[in-house]
Amino acid sequence: MAAGVDHFDAFFSREGDSPTTKALLRSAKLQLEAAWGEALSADIDGSYEIRRGERQADLGDAFLQYQGARHFTTRLGRFKEPFGLERLSSYTAITTSERSLVSSAFAPGRSQGLQVGQDRKSWTWALGLFTDEPEGGSTRAVTGRLTVAPIRLDQQVLHLGLAASWRDLGDERFQIRDRGEVTSADSIIRSPRMDARDSALLGLEAAWASGGFSLTSEAMAQEVVQVNGDSWRFSGAYLQAAVFLTDDHRGYSRGEFKRVKPVATTGAVELVARYSALDLRDAALGAEASIGLLGLNYYLTEQFQLRLNYLLPDISGTVLAPDTSGDAVTLRALFLF
């Protein structure tokens, strides 16, 4: 379960309200797993949220998976498309209150599909066919990801990744909208709106971890083709640094960084800094935004975390917000049962 408080100024509000404080239940999640022998397994989970005054129940993962020789896997059902280091990481394993501008704007989330791949300790690959049509959408996609860890020691890792996705958007209305790393805020960071035929996504990943220090960066770009053949290009990137003030480090396995397991009974303390930039402007339309973040994390145990973030945003090109000044503070408490 994850709950918390968001406090933000006018930047994050379409009405220009300042300041605003909102409590939220980010996610109360129940997960069930089953296995038949060593090869066949199933996973299903659901969550309940209270955000922006709205209650919502959501189905998360719901899939069957077959794992054959040499960790070759086939997965069928609903799950995250293989795109983005931060997006694929569990919420309990990321280091900030919310994922970066770039991940939330570009990286696809869960869809229904069929995926094949292979997970090894130092390299992974996955390729799948996906659609959101059962949920009322019209998107069909081919998405793939490749990762390698040329350096993979107990407390030292170099991670590199590449992901791509081609998406048939079904000639439907398309627009990127983002809340600026504050989940209870308004979506004032927006691209132009268009009837889109298809799009192509590209993502690059790099991460270096040595002892308690880690450096992570991702860059993503998207080209969207309108029904009339015109193309729009958007992009973004983030750079994040984190360091433990205690004798702790973050584990890594099969293309992902794992949840922190504190060494001492007094827990682990981590400092985080991140800069995210998002360019949704093309043909003199759309917004450009950036957010600087400073964070402090406390991990009492593997089951309890506190995350405190201070965000300093900047934006240009928006016509939605009457006042684009101010900053934000977010606090999250995570309980794992």
Side-chain angles (χ1 to χ4, degrees), residues 128-195:
L129 302 174
F130 300 93
T131 180
D132 63 357
E133 290 177 339
E135 300 176 353
S138 60
T139 300
R140 300 177 182 178
V142 180
T143 306
R145 180 177 183 245
L146 172 68
T147 74
V148 295
I151 299 175
R152 186 185 176 279
L153 304 174
D154 182 42
Q155 294 196 31
Q156 193 173 81
V157 173
L158 174 62
H159 165 97
L160 302 172
L162 171 68
S165 180
W166 178 83
R167 315 182 71 78
D168 179 353
L169 301 177
D171 298 344
E172 297 290 338
R173 187 60 57 91
F174 174 88
Q175 186 179 39
I176 298 172
R177 297 185 292 179
D178 198 87
R179 294 191 173 98
E181 302 179 12
V182 177
T183 192
S184 62
D186 293 328
S187 301
I188 68 159
I189 305 172
R190 301 192 181 191
S191 72
R193 187 169 52 185
M194 68 202 77
D195 294 327

Side-chain angles (χ1 to χ4, degrees), residues 11-324:
F11 175 94
F12 298 91
S13 172
R14 290 188 62 176
E15 287 74 32
D17 298 333
S18 179
T20 301
T21 302
K22 294 185 178 181
L24 66 149
L25 175 63
R26 192 194 183 281
S27 178
K29 184 177 180 180
L30 178 63
Q31 182 174 2
L32 299 174
E33 298 179 353
W36 298 270
E38 296 183 357
L40 188 62
S41 62
D43 189 305
I44 183 169
D45 63 63
S47 63
Y48 180 76
E49 305 172 357
I50 303 177
R51 303 192 202 185
R52 299 165 55 81
E54 299 179 357
R55 294 170 170 82
Q56 181 178 351
D58 182 56
L59 176 66
D61 290 332
F63 62 82
L64 288 170
Q65 179 171 291
Y66 177 81
Q67 181 172 288
R70 298 180 59 82
H71 290 271
F72 185 89
T73 60
T74 302
R75 183 179 291 185
L76 175 65
R78 186 176 192 268
F79 49 92
K80 290 181 181 178
E81 297 183 34
F83 194 104
L85 175 62
E86 189 181 35
R87 173 66 79 186
L88 290 172
S89 297
S90 165
Y91 181 72
T92 61
I94 64 175
T95 58
T96 54
S97 293
E98 301 298 333
R99 293 177 175 87
S100 67
L101 281 174
V102 184
S103 295
S104 60
F106 293 122
R110 289 180 174 88
S111 301
Q112 290 74 34
L114 173 65
Q115 176 181 294
V116 295
Q118 198 171 10
D119 295 335
R120 306 298 287 177
K121 291 183 178 180
S122 296
W123 54 268
T124 72
W125 67 268
L127 179 66
L129 302 174
F130 300 93
T131 180
D132 63 357
E133 290 177 339
E135 300 176 353
S138 60
T139 300
R140 300 177 182 178
V142 180
T143 306
R145 180 177 183 245
L146 172 68
T147 74
V148 295
I151 299 175
R152 186 185 176 279
L153 304 174
D154 182 42
Q155 294 196 31
Q156 193 173 81
V157 173
L158 174 62
H159 165 97
L160 302 172
L162 171 68
S165 180
W166 178 83
R167 315 182 71 78
D168 179 353
L169 301 177
D171 298 344
E172 297 290 338
R173 187 60 57 91
F174 174 88
Q175 186 179 39
I176 298 172
R177 297 185 292 179
D178 198 87
R179 294 191 173 98
E181 302 179 12
V182 177
T183 192
S184 62
D186 293 328
S187 301
I188 68 159
I189 305 172
R190 301 192 181 191
S191 72
R193 187 169 52 185
M194 68 202 77
D195 294 327
R197 187 180 69 199
D198 56 57
S199 76
L201 270 169
L202 179 66
L204 300 175
E205 313 166 11
W208 167 256
S210 180
F213 175 78
S214 64
L215 191 65
T216 308
S217 182
E218 292 188 75
M220 299 182 189
Q222 183 170 24
E223 181 179 44
V224 183
V225 180
Q226 282 187 250
V227 293
N228 65 2
D230 291 344
S231 295
W232 299 77
R233 294 178 177 86
F234 313 118
S235 61
Y238 75 84
L239 178 64
Q240 176 178 291
V243 60
F244 283 98
L245 303 183
T246 50
D247 189 23
D248 294 274
H249 72 281
R250 192 174 298 272
Y252 173 89
S253 178
R254 306 184 192 282
E256 296 180 21
F257 286 92
K258 302 302 181 181
R259 194 165 62 233
V260 174
K261 299 180 181 180
V263 173
T265 57
T266 52
V269 179
E270 183 182 33
L271 296 178
V272 184
R274 183 172 70 198
Y275 179 78
S276 306
L278 188 62
D279 184 358
L280 302 181
R281 191 167 181 82
D282 196 358
L285 297 173
E288 294 178 89
S290 64
I291 293 182
L293 178 150
L294 294 175
L296 174 65
N297 300 328
Y298 174 62
Y299 308 88
L300 176 60
T301 65
E302 189 180 359
Q303 286 72 41
F304 177 75
Q305 306 176 19
L306 288 174
R307 303 175 186 170
L308 179 65
N309 291 172
Y310 170 71
L311 298 91
L312 185 62
D314 183 65
I315 193 171
S316 62
T318 183
V319 297
L320 294 174
D323 185 351
T324 58

